[in-house]
Amino acid sequence: MADSTHLETPQSFVSDSSSPGAEKPGITVLETPGQPKYSFVDYRAAASPGSHKKVPPMVTQIIEGLTTLKRIPQDGSNLNRSLPLVLLYDNKGLELFDRITYLPEYYLTNCEIEVLQSNIREIAAEIPDGSDVIELGCGALRKTQLLLKELDQVRSGITYYAIDVMPSPLHKSLGELAQRFNNISFVALCGTYDEVLHHFKKDARPKTLLWLGSSIGNYSTADACDFLANIAEHALAPNDAVIVGFDRKKDPSVIMDAYHDSQKVTDDFELNVLRHANSVVADAVAVLRGDKSPDPSLDGLFDVSKFRYTGDYEQVLGRHSAYLQALEDVVINWPTELLPIVKSICGSDQNLLIERGELIFIESSYKFGPAVPEILARGCGLLHCAEWSDSRDYYTLNLFRKPPATMSPLPATMNGIESIEYVGKGAPALQHVHKLQALLKHAKTLRQPSTIPRISEWKHLWSVWDVLTLEIISRDHILDRPIDLRHPFIFYLGHLPAFADIHMSKAEGAPLTEPAIYAEWFERGIDPNMQDPSKCHSHSTPPSEWPSIDDILAYRDRVRARIIGWLELHERNNGKNTPADTARHLWMSFEHEAMHIETMLYMVLQMDPACTKSPISITFNPSDGSVPNVNWISFSGGIDIKIGLANDSESALGNAALPRDYHVFGWDNESPQTSVDIQPFSVRTQPITNGEYLEFVSEKLKYCVDPSVVAEKVVPKSWTKLASGEYGVRTVVGNPSITTSEASLWPVFVSQTQAAAYAGWCGKRLPSEAEWTHAARTYHLAMALSQIADSAASPYDSSNQESVDKYLDRLLTAHAICPSELEWSPYDMLVPENANIDFAHWHPLPEATDKTIG
């Protein structure tokens, strides 16, 4: 029998899990003589205490959906009535859906089976011994049994939890599987996701959740992100996994055929929602009356013959929507027993008229671009670790893991304008196009209010730093000094809080946190030019003996509490009357900590890998022979181009109130603003990869007299020599080979001297700061603006030799916007979410190739 300690279950079993007298979710252990047993746990609302005396939530949801017109789907344009999605899946609905999976038009199941069969060993290898494997919406288990068969052969201590809403299919499937797989324990969990998932605890047993099929397609990207984020936060421990199926965007005719089959099985499946609704309502009415025999024909709401199934596909959003359409005027007669509930919900107990042609929304099925899994991972606090696809790239299974800390904070809105989400090759979601239109329409007046980093953002930053310094680096190596021109690691444990405390002291006009001597010891680190005061600031004199780790961490916690206290007061005052100088100190402290994560990672990568602990399990994909999809774009440049910050004079702002218009605080090397002349130039849009740089290194070593001397100059510190003799890339999760793994397509990390040497070898040069700033500013604004509907007919095409900045001028003219009005534009906000920049993983990601879309 399955170990029940991982669930909040009663200590004894009850024979009838749906008994009205059950005080907790019921558990039944089912065992046929001579056959293995399995557990059945009923979490349905109908099995909860006293639920027989009141109307089930499902009835309330039915009434609310029918009596409320709302924008559904949320990214649609029409107001519709709706019915709960879960009504699709009663016993009849599950039977019909199983029939659908065998239809020739329904490509999804066969694609998923192909993915599982082709990659079953790799997938099973990601699930360790002693795991709980939890499937959300298991259905008939036709596909899952492929994975269970492999786990039964190669793993031990596996417990499989099957979650579904109806008991009969669960009993049928689990009864059969328990006989076939002797090395796996089985538990059936009956209920909705919400009813079941919160009972799982974060414990010592590793967990892998399976969300197969295209169930995620019932959610928009934003809703799917919320759902997975909730699971990650409440049910997963670090290194636990979620395997999710994604149905990709494809030919619309293929999708429409899949949801509108010639045999009309899908029609019957969708219309069964009405039959199920009738049964649910009739059951509730019977309970209220005290009857023992519900009568759906008498107490149900719908005449199914008066409706038909219809659907449409929105290609830009990749969304198929299913509706039930009234064939004639239909009157919903509420049963007398439900009238008080109806009136409490909608303010009236009158019968409901559904006019002929009116649509009732049932479900959406979203199809996703190849970039969405990575976008989703960043948004919900997971890492996208692996992807397996069928031969046509119709469908993918994606492995996500929960890291001990995410490298990027969860997305947040900025003055109502969300970060742009690109769901395909350069195509943003429609709602973000609307927001961009609004941003450009109000370019003269719209300003992003200056803000202070929020408490949640500080805590996220600290979580990443703590994992890096206290988990990846063990205490045994905290005094190590892998780079001569840096202090040992222990210095940086004190440096970050000391720097922040110095600036908090200035912001508050208050004393330093004790021990105050820490500010002197830990204020400044080592600089390569530390012996030349004209080139750098003075540096701290370290103590003769470092304080203990525990003392430094206690000091860190006091400084963090000081920051949180100030931010809580700031939030209670709604940010009013905050001096600009105070805001500057907060931002300096925040950015300083963020930058040190990068520098600390670089230091860690110089250590012996045996002295570090990987924060998460990663499997690197083998090299598939792809090469970078190289693209060059041109810029015309111009005269009097502004570089730097124009309105960030520290002396001018002083203690004046924080500006309410758009403002960016900068470091001292970002001001004052200057004007430069830039000649025409071209930029490669993809970074140089490890594989490309390896060609350069190989040629340099091939024709030299002393390879060791040349290697010292050209081989980057981000590489290491493997036992095989190949070069690998240093990461905190392993050192994959540049020759045989995906690392060949990762961007290479080199010094400025090495980058210049490579550029010269290619007959090119590195861009200047002015050129790079101009290119980034104009390119991302142009690409975002080009997605607006009335300019989409002329997207940017680098092959026509038009420069990006001239193309942007043409778009701005079309929208009657003067370029000078956008000098303040936060163009970095328009960088696509799937761009291969920023810290989002504990290792690099491949560049776009001739086989992938970036």
Side-chain angles (χ1 to χ4, degrees):
M1 189 189 81
D3 182 355
S4 63
T5 59
H6 306 292
L7 289 165
E8 294 174 358
T9 55
Q11 296 302 308
S12 59
F13 299 120
V14 294
S15 59
D16 182 4
S17 61
S18 60
S19 167
E23 296 183 354
K24 293 183 179 180
I27 300 180
T28 305
V29 178
L30 297 159
E31 182 176 17
T32 302
Q35 296 179 355
K37 58 188 176 182
Y38 66 93
S39 298
F40 180 90
V41 188
D42 198 338
Y43 287 106
R44 291 174 297 169
S48 61
S51 60
H52 61 296
K53 299 177 183 178
K54 58 186 178 183
V55 174
M58 184 64 65
V59 174
T60 303
Q61 293 170 23
I62 291 171
I63 297 171
E64 289 174 343
L66 290 175
T67 58
T68 305
L69 289 172
K70 59 183 178 180
R71 192 176 304 281
I72 186 167
Q74 293 179 354
D75 49 12
S77 57
N78 298 320
L79 300 177
N80 295 305
R81 306 184 196 277
S82 62
L83 285 170
L85 175 67
V86 73
L87 288 174
L88 285 167
Y89 300 106
D90 62 352
N91 290 338
K92 179 66 174 177
L94 290 168
E95 176 190 329
L96 288 168
F97 183 74
D98 191 48
R99 286 177 57 193
I100 289 172
T101 65
Y102 287 91
L103 295 173
E105 299 97 330
Y106 195 76
Y107 58 87
L108 268 163
T109 303
N110 286 334
C111 288
E112 186 172 17
I113 288 174
E114 178 191 338
V115 174
L116 285 167
Q117 289 176 334
S118 302
N119 303 280
I120 197 65
R121 289 186 179 178
E122 292 86 348
I123 296 172
E126 300 288 349
I127 302 174
D129 290 336
S131 288
D132 292 336
V133 178
I134 306 155
E135 182 165 12
L136 311 180
C138 62
L141 294 170
R142 175 181 166 199
K143 301 160 294 186
T144 311
Q145 62 181 312
L146 298 172
L147 178 58
L148 293 176
K149 180 180 179 181
E150 182 72 14
L151 293 175
D152 189 59
Q153 295 173 352
V154 302
R155 289 285 179 261
S156 61
I158 299 293
T159 298
Y160 172 73
Y161 293 89
I163 301 175
D164 223 318
V165 292
M166 299 303 295
S168 296
L170 277 171
H171 285 310
K172 182 177 184 296
S173 299
L174 269 293
E176 294 174 356
L177 290 176
Q179 297 180 51
R180 293 176 53 192
F181 303 124
N182 297 324
N183 295 325
I184 299 177
S185 299
F186 291 90
V187 182
L189 306 176
C190 191
T192 64
Y193 298 160
D194 290 339
E195 289 170 333
V196 173
L197 280 176
H198 70 277
H199 291 278
F200 279 89
K201 300 177 180 178
K202 299 178 183 178
D203 58 18
R205 280 177 64 87
K207 284 190 287 294
T208 298
L209 272 66
L210 307 177
W211 204 15
L212 305 181
S214 60
S215 296
I216 195 173
N218 291 137
Y219 298 78
S220 67
T221 302
D223 289 340
C225 185
D226 289 343
F227 179 78
L228 288 174
N230 185 57
I231 289 177
E233 180 179 359
H234 298 292
L236 301 184
N239 223 34
D240 283 347
V242 186
I243 298 176
V244 184
F246 284 83
D247 189 11
R248 282 195 168 175
K249 290 183 176 180
K250 57 187 67 68
D251 186 336
S253 64
V254 174
I255 294 170
M256 287 298 287
D257 287 347
Y259 292 100
H260 301 270
D261 62 278
S262 58
Q263 299 179 41
K264 304 290 185 182
V265 181
T266 307
D267 294 51
D268 201 14
F269 172 66
E270 299 288 347
L271 285 165
N272 186 64
V273 165
L274 303 181
R275 302 185 190 96
H276 190 188
N278 285 343
S279 296
V280 170
V281 171
D283 288 346
V285 170
V287 170
L288 292 172
R289 285 181 186 155
D291 292 346
K292 294 185 178 180
S293 302
D295 187 351
S297 63
L298 178 64
D299 296 319
L301 303 178
F302 301 100
D303 180 345
V304 180
S305 67
K306 295 182 179 180
F307 292 85
R308 75 178 184 96
Y309 161 61
T310 186
D312 58 50
Y313 181 65
E314 168 45 66
Q315 187 171 357
V316 172
L317 294 175
R319 184 196 67 224
H320 180 274
S321 297
Y323 305 90
L324 297 180
Q325 186 178 43
L327 297 172
E328 58 184 76
D329 287 354
V330 176
V331 177
I332 302 295
N333 297 297
W334 304 111
T336 303
E337 291 76 9
L338 295 181
L339 290 178
I341 299 167
V342 174
K343 188 171 184 178
S344 69
I345 291 173
C346 63
S348 171
D349 58 5
Q350 299 299 308
N351 292 335
L352 177 67
L353 172 64
I354 299 177
E355 297 181 351
R356 177 184 179 184
E358 190 173 347
L359 299 175
I360 301 176
F361 174 80
I362 303 301
E363 64 170 334
S364 287
S365 298
Y366 286 85
K367 313 304 168 187
F368 301 100
V372 167
E374 177 63 29
I375 294 172
L376 198 63
R378 294 193 189 194
C380 64
L382 298 171
L383 290 184
H384 184 215
C385 297
E387 181 176 270
W388 302 279
S389 175
D390 70 297
S391 57
R392 294 181 291 181
D393 279 337
Y394 273 17
Y395 179 88
T396 62
L397 285 177
N398 295 263
L399 174 71
F400 302 89
R401 287 196 185 277
K402 180 177 180 177
T406 55
M407 295 298 290
S408 295
L410 300 185
T413 59
M414 296 193 303
N415 195 31
I417 302 173
E418 296 173 339
S419 57
I420 297 235
E421 171 195 309
Y422 284 71
V423 295
K425 190 175 183 180
L430 192 59
Q431 60 267 36
H432 294 111
V433 174
H434 294 161
K435 288 171 182 172
L436 182 58
Q437 286 176 312
L439 182 140
L440 294 175
K441 180 179 179 181
H442 301 290
K444 290 184 179 180
T445 57
L446 178 63
R447 295 294 186 267
Q448 175 195 347
S450 299
T451 59
I452 301 295
R454 288 165 289 212
I455 292 176
S456 60
E457 292 168 329
W458 278 99
K459 288 184 176 180
H460 169 265
L461 200 63
W462 291 334
S463 71
V464 177
W465 176 255
D466 291 347
V467 168
L468 182 56
T469 56
L470 300 176
E471 295 184 26
I472 295 177
I473 305 170
S474 70
R475 288 200 172 201
D476 293 341
H477 294 279
I478 203 68
L479 292 175
D480 287 4
R481 185 179 181 176
I483 299 177
D484 289 339
L485 292 176
R486 293 286 180 182
H487 277 299
F489 290 126
I490 193 170
F491 169 83
Y492 299 96
L493 288 184
H495 175 55
L496 267 63
F499 184 94
D501 192 56
I502 290 169
H503 285 277
M504 287 302 302
S505 178
K506 293 178 180 179
E508 296 178 316
L512 294 165
T513 299
E514 292 295 335
I517 189 64
Y518 278 20
E520 180 180 330
W521 289 346
F522 292 111
E523 179 181 7
R524 300 186 188 278
I526 297 178
D527 185 274
N529 293 312
M530 65 175 297
Q531 302 304 326
D532 185 350
S534 67
K535 294 185 178 181
C536 63
H537 296 288
S538 59
H539 291 78
S540 303
T541 301
S544 58
E545 183 178 344
W546 295 107
S548 72
I549 295 175
D550 290 338
D551 286 347
I552 296 175
L553 294 181
Y555 169 72
R556 174 206 68 182
D557 291 343
R558 290 192 292 274
V559 173
R560 289 181 178 180
R562 179 179 192 169
I563 294 172
I564 295 297
W566 188 94
L567 291 171
E568 288 174 342
L569 179 61
H570 173 79
E571 292 179 358
R572 285 197 296 271
N573 294 332
N574 295 319
K576 295 180 180 178
N577 302 317
T578 301
D581 191 54
T582 300
R584 183 184 303 277
H585 287 302
L586 265 292
W587 269 115
M588 287 181 68
S589 300
F590 185 83
E591 288 199 16
H592 177 256
E593 300 209 12
M595 289 188 291
H596 263 287
I597 291 176
E598 178 180 0
T599 58
M600 182 62 78
L601 268 172
Y602 183 75
M603 291 177 64
V604 170
L605 294 181
Q606 307 309 308
M607 296 179 68
D608 181 347
C611 298
T612 63
K613 179 183 177 182
S614 173
I616 195 167
S617 298
I618 293 291
T619 300
F620 298 112
N621 295 320
S623 172
D624 62 0
S626 298
V627 295
N629 184 16
V630 176
N631 185 35
W632 290 79
I633 53 178
S634 63
F635 296 84
S636 297
I639 61 173
D640 198 28
I641 293 176
K642 301 294 190 295
I643 302 295
L645 299 176
N647 62 341
D648 188 42
S649 170
E650 188 171 352
S651 58
L653 287 172
N655 285 319
L658 184 66
R660 298 307 299 172
D661 62 351
Y662 178 74
H663 186 80
V664 171
F665 291 110
W667 296 88
D668 52 6
N669 62 350
E670 297 177 88
S671 293
Q673 187 178 70
T674 58
S675 296
V676 296
D677 297 342
I678 299 177
Q679 299 298 316
F681 66 99
S682 296
V683 171
R684 173 172 150 161
T685 58
Q686 298 81 19
I688 306 302
T689 65
N690 285 302
E692 292 174 295
Y693 192 81
L694 181 60
E695 295 179 12
F696 164 68
V697 170
S698 299
E699 182 169 311
K700 289 295 183 181
L701 294 178
K702 183 177 181 181
Y703 298 107
C704 68
V705 176
D706 190 342
S708 62
V709 173
V710 174
E712 182 68 24
K713 293 181 178 180
V714 299
V715 175
K717 295 293 186 180
S718 59
W719 289 7
T720 185
K721 208 63 176 296
L722 304 177
S724 62
E726 302 170 337
Y727 284 109
V729 179
R730 295 175 182 267
T731 80
V732 294
V733 290
N735 302 324
S737 166
I738 298 173
T739 307
T740 61
S741 80
E742 65 175 79
S744 64
L745 293 172
W746 292 354
V748 66
F749 290 83
V750 296
S751 69
Q752 193 274 344
T753 301
Q754 291 167 337
Y758 176 85
W761 179 71
C762 296
K764 309 292 183 183
R765 64 174 177 83
L766 300 182
S768 67
E769 180 183 359
E771 288 171 333
W772 181 255
T773 302
H774 177 68
R777 176 188 298 161
T778 55
Y779 178 79
H780 290 300
L781 186 57
M783 294 306 103
L785 184 57
S786 71
Q787 302 302 322
I788 294 177
D790 57 3
S791 63
S794 57
Y796 177 73
D797 183 1
S798 60
S799 64
N800 66 12
Q801 298 184 346
E802 181 179 22
S803 66
V804 173
D805 33 17
K806 295 300 182 185
Y807 173 71
L808 175 60
D809 289 344
R810 179 159 59 86
L811 292 180
L812 294 175
T813 300
H815 290 276
I817 298 173
C818 178
S820 62
E821 295 172 355
L822 293 179
E823 287 183 0
W824 59 269
S825 175
Y827 61 89
D828 52 345
M829 189 184 75
L830 306 177
V831 177
E833 288 284 351
N834 63 315
N836 196 354
I837 60 172
D838 201 0
F839 282 95
H841 287 256
W842 289 101
H843 62 86
L845 294 180
E847 278 305 304
T849 70
D850 56 355
K851 295 184 181 180
T852 61
I853 298 176

